[in-house]
Amino acid sequence: MNNQIPDIKEAIKKIEVPIDKLDKTIDVAIKRAKTKHKKPKRKLYPFIGVASLATCVLIGSAFVSPAMAKVLSSIPVLNSVFEFVGDRGLEIASQKGLSEKIEKTVTDKNISLTMKDIFFDGTRLSISYIQEFPNKWDDIGELELKVNGKEINFGDGRTGEFLSDNQYAGVINIEPTEELPDSFDLSIGLNNIGKVKGNWNFEIPVTKSKEEVKTIQSNQTMNYKDTKMTVKTVKIGPAGIKLSVDLTSSAGENPQMIDDSHLQFNLLNDKGESLTQSGGSGSGSDIGGEFVMNMEYRFSPLEENSEFLTISPFLIPITNEQSSRIEQPLHLNKLPITLDQGEMGKIMVTDVKYQKDKTLLYFEVVSDFPYDGHFQFNNLWLEDKAGNNLTSDSKGYPERIKQNTYVQEFKHINKNEPLIVVTIKMPNLEVLKEMEIKIPLK
């Protein structure tokens, strides 16, 4: 049984980011976020952060086919597929030797699926895979997961990238609704890839990483209008942070919706920098006339010491109004270029670097809003004179260099080609300062 993801898709769509690629990616990601139910009145809401919805670079390591070997011959030697997945947490886990090799291949209907690596530490369960297909690629279908033979409730988020015309590498981030044991047998059932019916089934032993995960019990509660927010736990591991929050609506409505806005969260370190949100999921039920949602959010790992974390709620307004484009011609001799986004602040384009296979755009953000490492909930892109979006097919989001400073990758562009740098007039993302909760780490 499948459910539609609730209001977050509409909230994101109605920000009116005019990028076809991002719209399509959101639609695909929502179709991919499959839900499983076994209990009545239990609703599962998987979701993925905006930047995570953009295409990520995911490249596999050694593989048995000659075609794959040729593709990988120009790639630096990798210890793990996860080291080329666009997720810092998985890269760290692999570098520390915390992920495990799977290397299991199943072929049916001339389509091969190879499970490559797995990582599980209590904050996340992630699997990488490589798909080989003879003709047209299609997305792998809905998964059926069993833990020690028992079907589980879960959502999943997926990202991927083509390695060649006949190979595709991907990562599946699995979001169970209940705690998993420290070790278990994971059964993965897959009966279709696109419209092709078949059987691609795997049995994978899973053991929790030995690296310590610090669990902080909080149970702090804040109220805002009809919504109560209770921070239950914060789990801090080498591959990321998992935040568990209960949202309760005394009015019996969706507690994520407040005055035609969608409630979201940033997680800030003690410098006020927002950690990158990589996904999450939740389940909801009616309890005594109140609607309670048990939410879990995943964030990038802490790579520097921090005395505390701050959970900072904010509202994404849902509106039918079309956001206006803000654009400027891109001339190297006129840098920096300033794009005024209204009350949300300004973007200043500071530099452009033309390279053999890509173009790098550097920019700074002048805003009181704490954007995360992928500049989620905002956007900036380049267009050619025909109006084509030149965002990279391999990485469709910026990377933070330092606080408020980013670099974004675009397709290879001739230095003499006329370009336009484009963004939108942003709706106000209101930070609910009165609902912020500080979590001491020492």
Side-chain angles (χ1 to χ4, degrees):
M1 177 180 179
N2 294 333
N3 256 13
Q4 294 296 318
I5 291 179
D7 310 288
I8 191 167
K9 176 174 184 281
E10 292 303 316
I12 294 170
K13 283 178 64 178
K14 290 181 180 179
I15 290 179
E16 299 291 352
V17 179
I19 295 185
D20 293 340
K21 177 185 173 186
L22 184 56
D23 291 339
K24 291 176 183 177
T25 312
I26 290 172
D27 292 337
V28 170
I30 286 172
K31 291 176 183 176
R32 291 172 177 169
K34 304 301 181 182
T35 63
K36 295 286 187 181
H37 301 276
K38 300 184 76 176
K39 299 178 182 179
K41 297 183 180 180
R42 189 91 172 148
K43 302 176 184 178
L44 176 64
Y45 303 118
F47 60 88
I48 307 172
V50 174
S52 300
L53 294 177
T55 307
C56 296
V57 182
L58 303 175
I59 301 183
S61 61
F63 191 68
V64 295
S65 74
M68 178 63 71
K70 182 178 180 180
V71 170
L72 297 175
S73 62
S74 60
I75 296 174
V77 176
L78 304 177
N79 294 322
S80 165
V81 174
F82 284 150
E83 293 189 20
F84 254 45
V85 173
D87 180 312
R88 180 60 179 156
L90 291 174
E91 182 182 359
I92 290 173
S94 173
Q95 291 172 348
K96 289 188 173 184
L98 303 176
S99 59
E100 296 184 29
K101 292 285 186 182
I102 304 173
E103 298 295 348
K104 292 186 177 182
T105 301
V106 174
T107 301
D108 195 12
K109 303 299 187 295
N110 208 21
I111 299 175
S112 293
L113 197 63
T114 299
M115 296 296 172
K116 300 290 290 181
D117 303 278
I118 190 165
F119 176 74
F120 171 62
D121 72 342
T123 68
R124 65 186 302 171
L125 173 60
S126 300
I127 300 173
S128 68
Y129 68 93
I130 292 178
Q131 178 183 342
E132 285 198 312
F133 45 94
N135 299 308
K136 181 183 176 182
W137 173 85
D138 217 327
D139 190 15
I140 62 176
E142 180 176 355
L143 302 178
E144 180 181 276
L145 300 185
K146 293 181 180 180
V147 170
N148 294 332
K150 182 181 178 182
E151 189 175 351
I152 64 170
N153 295 333
F154 74 98
D156 69 62
R158 310 177 189 183
T159 54
E161 179 64 27
F162 289 98
L163 298 175
S164 71
D165 291 341
N166 301 104
Q167 289 120 3
Y168 179 88
V171 159
I172 305 171
N173 290 304
I174 296 167
E175 308 283 354
T177 60
E178 299 178 2
E179 290 290 328
L180 298 176
D182 288 351
S183 61
F184 55 91
D185 292 323
L186 178 65
S187 301
I188 302 176
L190 175 63
N191 297 318
N192 72 284
I193 295 179
K195 295 181 180 180
V196 179
K197 303 294 183 181
N199 292 289
W200 297 268
N201 302 321
F202 297 85
E203 297 290 332
I204 302 171
V206 181
T207 302
K208 188 176 181 179
S209 167
K210 294 181 180 179
E211 190 84 359
E212 181 182 359
V213 172
K214 181 178 181 179
T215 300
I216 300 173
Q217 302 287 343
S218 174
N219 295 317
Q220 296 184 64
T221 296
M222 297 294 291
N223 293 279
Y224 183 79
K225 298 189 177 180
D226 290 329
T227 294
K228 178 173 70 174
M229 177 183 78
T230 301
V231 177
K232 295 189 296 183
T233 61
V234 178
K235 292 186 176 182
I236 302 174
I241 299 173
K242 184 164 74 171
L243 170 66
S244 297
V245 179
D246 279 354
L247 299 175
T248 303
S249 169
S250 58
E253 303 294 334
N254 183 350
Q256 288 183 301
M257 295 302 301
I258 301 176
D259 294 341
D260 296 325
S261 295
H262 190 278
L263 180 64
Q264 256 286 357
F265 296 90
N266 278 320
L267 187 62
L268 313 178
N269 62 18
D270 58 6
K271 298 177 183 177
E273 297 169 334
S274 182
L275 304 182
T276 303
Q277 185 174 335
S278 54
S281 65
S283 58
S285 57
D286 299 304
I287 302 176
E290 295 184 328
F291 189 67
V292 181
M293 294 189 70
N294 312 116
M295 306 299 298
E296 291 188 337
Y297 304 87
R298 282 191 298 104
F299 295 88
S300 60
L302 276 173
E303 298 192 59
E304 297 180 1
N305 290 332
S306 184
E307 293 186 0
F308 59 85
L309 294 172
T310 300
I311 299 157
S312 179
F314 64 95
L315 297 175
I316 304 174
I318 298 175
T319 176
N320 291 320
E321 295 180 6
Q322 177 75 31
S323 296
S324 56
R325 283 168 56 102
I326 301 167
E327 59 185 70
Q328 293 249 18
L330 180 61
H331 298 300
L332 295 180
N333 60 353
K334 293 186 178 180
L335 294 176
I337 295 171
T338 300
L339 302 170
D340 191 341
Q341 293 189 297
E343 59 185 321
M344 280 300 289
K346 300 176 181 179
I347 297 175
M348 296 176 60
V349 177
T350 58
D351 197 9
V352 184
K353 292 185 178 178
Y354 296 88
Q355 299 184 356
K356 281 185 178 181
D357 58 344
K358 59 189 174 184
T359 304
L360 300 177
L361 185 75
Y362 293 80
F363 64 94
E364 296 178 4
V365 182
V366 182
S367 176
D368 293 330
F369 185 80
Y371 290 107
D372 76 358
H374 288 164
F375 200 44
Q376 296 197 73
F377 306 104
N378 205 332
N379 218 336
L380 181 72
W381 67 99
L382 293 176
E383 291 182 0
D384 60 19
K385 61 182 179 181
N388 297 312
N389 189 322
L390 301 175
T391 299
S392 169
D393 291 329
S394 61
K395 184 170 289 187
Y397 55 86
E399 292 280 3
R400 183 166 57 198
I401 301 172
K402 60 182 181 179
Q403 192 168 12
N404 296 330
T405 302
Y406 297 84
V407 59
Q408 181 159 355
E409 180 180 312
F410 293 88
K411 297 175 182 177
H412 169 70
I413 302 170
N414 188 306
K415 190 173 183 178
N416 297 319
E417 182 176 352
L419 298 174
I420 298 173
V421 58
V422 190
T423 186
I424 59 169
K425 185 175 182 180
M426 284 286 295
N428 183 40
L429 304 181
E430 180 185 357
V431 177
L432 303 179
K433 285 286 187 180
E434 62 271 40
M435 282 186 71
E436 288 187 339
I437 290 179
K438 185 179 290 188
I439 307 293
L441 301 184
K442 297 180 179 180

